[in-house]
Amino acid sequence: MNVRVGAASDIGQVREGNEDSFLVLAPLYAVADGMGGHRGGEVASSLALETVQAMFERREGSLAEQVTEANRAVFERSQRDRSVAGMGTTLTAALVDGDRVHLAHVGDSRAYLLRDGELTMLTEDHTLVHRMVMEGEITEAEAETHPHRSILTRALGVDGSVLVDENDVQTIDGDRILLCSDGLTGMVPDGEIREILASTTDPQEAVDALVRVANSAGGIDNITAVVLDFEEGEPERSDTTEAVVGVPIPEPPPQASAPGPARASRYRHTRERSLGPDPAGGPRPSHSPPARRTARRVGVGAGITLTVAVLAIVGLRLYLDSQWFVGVSNGRVAVFRGVPAEVAGFRLHSVVVETTVPAGDAQELALYRDLADGITAADRASADAIIEQIREDVASAQPAGS
Ligand code: MG
C-alpha cells in the first residue's frame, strides 16, 4: 500500500499553549495529547513521541513495546523533575506494514477508519464516561456532553507500568485512517467528522478542514489530526530505500506551511484533564477542562448519581484515597486527596493541608494560572514538592524585600 499523509496541530481558540504533539515518520504515525499543566503537558506528549521515534529508528521492539517504553520515560522524568510532576499524555500510534496497520493506544485520543463512506472508531476511550457507558449508567449521547468526559482512566507517564491497547487493521484501497486528539472529537460530532473525511480528497485538505471546523465550534482545546490515505501500489517516495517495515521512508512534510526537508518527523505540542479510576490501567490526572457548550441532556444527573453509587461500591473511595492534587482552598494553595472533580454535587476530593501561600499570587504566574483546576501529583510527596515549587516560584516573582 502507498500511504498519503496529511497532518495538522492547532492551539485552538482558548488555550495558551499547544500540549498536543504528533509524529509523522513514515510508516509510523502518532498523536499525543499531554496534560499536567502547561509545561508538563508539552513535555509529556513530546517526550513520549521522541521515545517511540528513537526506538523505532533503532528498530527496537514492537510498537506496543515502544509505547510502553514511552510510558517509562515520561514517568521517570516526572519523578525526577518536579516542575513536571504528575504529567502524563495520551498516545495513539499507527504503524503501517504493507496492507496492515498496527495500532497502539492509551488515553482518549482516537483512531478512526473511513471505508466506503462509513466511519468506524478503531480505539476505545480510556475515560470515566466510557466506563459509565459500558456499565449502562449513561448513554453515548450523554457521554458526549458529560462535564467530566475528559477524566481519563488510563494515560502514559502517570505510573511505572501501563496497559497498551493494540489493534490490527487490514487496509484496502481507498481506506482513510484518522488519528486525532480530543480537541477535535470533543468539538465536532462523529457525523460531521465523517462528512469532512468523505468529502475531501487530499489528506492535508482533510486535516485542515477538521481543524477549521473544530475551531469554529469553539476550539476549546488543542486540535491535532493526522490522516492516512491508503492506495493500492508501492510506496511512492522511497528513492533509495525499499519499503521495509521499520525503516523510516522520506516523505514530504504534510504541513502546508512547512515546506522543508523530507524524512522529517515532526512534533507539535493540550489541555488538561483529570484521571479517574481504571480497573485495567493506572490512573491519574491533571486539570479539568471546560465543557463543550452543547445542550445537556435531561436525565444525566440521575445517571451520574447512580453511577457514583455504583463506583462507590466498586471502590471509588479506595481509589480516591490514593489520588493527590494541588489546588485552591479558601483562597490558599492546598493539597487535596482525590480527583479535582465533582459529580452530581458529590465532591471527589477533600482538603488535606492548606498552605499559607495565597492562591492569587500563584495564579498570577502563567504556570499556575489553572491552579484552581488542580495540578495532579503522583503521591503525597509529589504534592508537597509541587507546593514547594509554587512557594519558590511565588517568592522569586515578588519584588525584593516584599
Ligand atoms: Mg486534548
Side-chain angles (χ1 to χ4, degrees):
M1 283 284 177
N2 179 42
V3 181
R4 290 166 61 230
V5 188
S9 188
D10 191 88
I11 192 168
Q13 303 295 305
V14 174
R15 306 278 170 172
E16 288 202 328
N18 190 348
E19 295 167 34
D20 282 2
S21 298
F22 67 81
L23 174 63
V24 171
L25 182 69
L28 175 63
Y29 309 90
V31 300
D33 176 351
M35 63 201 175
H38 238 32
R39 185 167 134 68
E42 277 184 28
V43 170
S45 67
S46 53
L47 176 58
L49 293 185
E50 282 159 20
T51 306
V52 168
Q53 175 180 3
M55 277 184 83
F56 172 74
E57 289 178 335
R58 294 194 303 265
R59 305 191 194 190
E60 229 176 277
S62 67
L63 182 60
E65 286 164 344
Q66 293 162 3
V67 173
T68 301
E69 180 62 18
N71 176 72
R72 199 196 51 77
V74 175
F75 180 65
E76 284 185 0
R77 175 73 179 275
S78 83
Q79 297 284 300
R80 233 179 21 240
D81 177 355
R82 65 186 180 183
S83 72
V84 295
M87 68 177 173
T89 183
T90 72
L91 202 162
T92 301
L95 177 66
V96 181
D97 174 5
D99 56 2
R100 298 196 70 80
V101 176
H102 308 294
L103 294 169
H105 162 77
V106 175
D108 69 348
S109 297
R110 293 180 178 176
Y112 289 91
L113 169 67
L114 182 81
R115 176 178 293 174
D116 298 330
E118 285 210 13
L119 190 68
T120 315
M121 207 168 129
L122 301 173
T123 50
E124 189 177 339
D125 289 350
H126 299 138
T127 58
L128 188 57
V129 289
H130 179 70
R131 279 252 302 285
M132 290 158 83
V133 170
M134 291 292 101
E135 287 165 8
E137 302 305 330
I138 58 172
T139 66
E140 297 258 7
E142 285 164 350
E144 275 181 23
T145 55
H146 196 284
H148 299 302
R149 67 189 177 288
S150 291
I151 297 183
L152 292 185
T153 52
R154 233 196 274 177
L156 278 196
V158 291
D159 197 41
S161 65
V162 71
L163 185 63
V164 179
D165 284 359
E166 292 181 81
N167 191 2
D168 257 33
V169 181
Q170 180 80 44
T171 57
I172 58 173
D173 185 38
D175 277 353
R176 173 170 269 188
I177 284 181
L178 165 69
L179 308 178
C180 61
S181 65
D182 68 335
L184 173 66
T185 52
M187 304 306 302
V188 185
D190 279 10
E192 207 170 329
I193 292 176
R194 191 205 68 80
E195 267 169 40
I196 292 166
L197 290 175
S199 63
T200 44
T201 47
D202 179 68
Q204 189 61 42
E205 181 194 349
V207 294
D208 290 342
L210 291 169
V211 166
R212 207 162 44 238
V213 170
N215 270 321
S216 22
I220 282 171
D221 196 2
N222 307 141
I223 308 147
T224 300
V226 175
V227 163
L228 310 175
D229 281 350
F230 294 81
E231 306 167 329
E232 207 59 76
E234 288 303 300
E236 283 167 359
R237 26 184 125 72
S238 49
D239 312 321
T240 53
T241 331
E242 287 277 305
V244 178
V245 176
V247 176
I249 299 163
E251 68 171 43
Q255 195 101 35
S257 55
R263 193 228 177 311
S265 70
R266 293 162 322 115
Y267 304 102
R268 277 311 140 79
H269 301 297
T270 212
R271 117 58 151 354
E272 21 274 307
R273 53 286 212 48
S274 318
L275 285 152
D278 181 11
R284 289 83 293 205
S286 180
H287 305 186
S288 48
R292 173 160 34 134
R293 312 264 179 256
T294 315
R296 291 277 297 285
R297 300 282 292 245
V298 198
V300 172
I304 293 168
T305 307
L306 187 58
T307 302
V308 166
V310 170
L311 285 176
I313 291 162
V314 300
L316 177 65
R317 181 54 50 120
L318 273 175
Y319 166 76
L320 291 174
D321 282 349
S322 68
Q323 302 303 306
W324 297 88
F325 70 96
V326 173
V328 178
S329 173
N330 294 320
R332 312 215 166 253
V333 179
V335 174
F336 292 79
R337 196 186 269 247
V339 296
E342 200 172 290
V343 176
F346 293 89
R347 262 195 273 153
L348 301 182
H349 50 259
S350 55
V351 179
V352 175
V353 156
E354 249 177 46
T355 68
T356 53
V357 183
D361 290 0
Q363 285 164 309
E364 269 172 36
L365 306 175
L367 193 57
Y368 306 117
R369 269 183 82 235
D370 299 332
L371 183 66
D373 294 336
I375 300 171
T376 309
D379 49 33
R380 174 64 195 269
S382 312
D384 289 339
I386 292 169
I387 295 274
E388 210 33 56
Q389 185 70 47
I390 293 175
R391 247 186 233 287
E392 280 177 31
D393 292 350
V394 165
S396 58
Q398 303 287 330
S402 74

